Amino acid sequence: VADELLAEISGLVGSKQEAAWIIEHARGRGLEGAAARARILAERRAAGEPLQYVLGSWPFRTIELEVGPAALIPRPETEQLVEVALSRWRDQRPGQGLVRCVDLGTGTGAIGISVAVELSEETAVELYLVDRSAQALDLARKNAERLGVTACFEEGSWYQALDDSLEGRVHLLISNPPYVPDEQRGALDPVLGYEPAEALFAPQGRDGTAGFGDVEAIIGESIRWLAPCGILAVEMGEDQLDAAVRLGEQIGLVDLSCFLDLAGRRRGILAAAP
Ligand SMILES: C[S@@+](CC[C@H](N)C(=O)[O-])C[C@H]1O[C@@H](n2cnc3c(N)ncnc32)[C@H](O)[C@@H]1O
């Protein structure tokens, strides 16, 4: 019976591996009715819904996150963003004894929650998770609670969501903001149509760089919020890196470098406050 179900679900979703995950997920909620539940999930997948939303959870670095249509599905390049930010923090260790970390545009909470979980054995972390979307913030709250992470959840647009008392006191400022150029709406992979548009698309920057508006806002004001030697790490599109480095230099950030994704493309900047 198990082989027959695997064959049936594989036929629906076009992949034996995905079929196995779907069946495992359906069985996780009890053997009774599992085949019927697997068929319903497989039909959603066959209709084009991303596997991550169909399963309802997805791994990110060391944690398993609840995912859903309120927030972007966390990507492997963002795991890399966390990797380089943690590695820079371990080299420089701003915030002796307490790391104050802000994740701007937190979505599922992937970045901030990972930082808190991974640094928990080395230091205390005071975590701020910011998003303009109340639904995304609800998801981040659920994920943080399930993973035993304490955080402040701040709803609003970028730095406006933060209390002024944080100015000049942030040791680790990390963000994966929207950076797909607005002009590409409609021309992208249909799977992206399931993810919230406000998590993906951004206007052009004031300097004319396509899709750079949000990255520009985050880098541009970062120096006001960073503590001395505080670290900034921002993911962006490959074509936005030159503009980001120029802006970082203009506003006085130091130790600027670019980091690469797993495919070897430049995908973000790391910098520090003087
Ligand atoms: C690319 S998604 C990143 C989600 C998550 N950090 C990750 O890496 O998987 C960008 C997030 O920024 C949020 N966002 C977009 N514009 C914003 C703004 N002006 N202020 C705060 N958050 C914003 C979106 O709701 C979305 O959750």
Side-chain angles (χ1 to χ4, degrees):
V1 175
D3 284 350
E4 273 171 31
L5 183 62
L6 183 61
E8 179 192 340
I9 301 295
S10 300
L12 275 172
V13 300
S15 151
K16 203 167 169 183
Q17 177 64 74
E18 289 198 10
W21 282 330
I22 286 172
I23 293 168
E24 189 187 317
H25 182 76
R27 286 197 174 134
R29 298 179 48 209
L31 286 182
E32 198 175 325
R37 279 197 298 280
R39 283 187 195 102
I40 292 170
L41 297 177
E43 272 156 23
R44 282 171 54 192
R45 178 70 188 123
E49 193 171 339
L51 177 69
Q52 294 90 336
Y53 287 166
V54 169
L55 297 179
S57 70
W58 199 245
F60 182 83
R61 294 182 61 85
T62 63
I63 57 179
E64 183 81 17
L65 290 164
E66 180 176 329
V67 297
L72 192 90
I73 298 162
R75 305 287 204 273
E77 49 270 28
T78 309
E79 296 185 288
Q80 193 61 17
L81 169 76
V82 174
E83 178 70 29
V84 296
L86 288 179
S87 150
R88 178 71 82 95
W89 181 84
R90 289 187 173 110
D91 285 348
Q92 299 183 351
R93 296 191 176 259
Q96 294 285 327
L98 173 92
V99 178
R100 196 166 292 110
C101 171
V102 174
D103 172 6
L104 290 178
T106 194
T108 55
I111 295 173
I113 296 173
S114 281
V115 166
V117 167
E118 293 185 47
L119 287 186
S120 64
E121 291 194 354
E122 295 168 61
T123 181
V125 178
E126 186 178 294
L127 179 63
Y128 295 82
L129 302 180
V130 173
D131 210 289
R132 193 168 56 180
S133 154
Q135 290 94 329
L137 221 45
D138 282 345
L139 192 55
R141 191 178 286 109
K142 272 201 213 165
N143 277 320
E145 277 170 10
R146 195 172 28 78
L147 292 160
V149 166
T150 305
C152 301
F153 299 87
E154 310 290 358
E155 186 181 333
S157 184
W158 304 139
Y159 300 100
Q160 287 167 33
L162 297 176
D163 194 275
D164 289 347
S165 63
L166 286 178
E167 278 187 34
R169 300 175 61 226
V170 178
H171 304 113
L172 195 46
L173 181 48
I174 314 194
S175 184
N176 171 25
Y179 55 78
V180 180
D182 263 339
E183 310 80 85
Q184 287 183 26
R185 280 178 197 248
L188 283 179
D189 181 343
V191 160
L192 294 176
Y194 283 85
E195 298 186 288
E198 62 273 20
L200 288 164
F201 299 102
Q204 74 171 27
R206 276 174 302 176
D207 71 346
T209 303
F212 190 56
D214 288 318
V215 175
E216 188 178 55
I218 287 169
I219 297 177
E221 238 195 288
S222 59
I223 206 147
R224 186 171 137 208
W225 296 87
L226 286 167
C229 304
I231 294 163
L232 172 72
V234 187
E235 180 179 326
M236 66 197 73
E238 199 177 10
D239 296 339
Q240 298 161 356
L241 257 299
D242 293 338
V245 170
R246 255 195 318 274
L247 176 61
E249 284 170 351
Q250 259 169 30
I251 64 167
L253 291 171
V254 296
D255 295 335
L256 270 134
S257 62
C258 298
F259 67 87
L260 308 178
D261 65 16
L262 298 172
R265 290 170 305 198
R266 296 191 309 160
R267 288 308 295 274
I269 65 159
L270 270 176

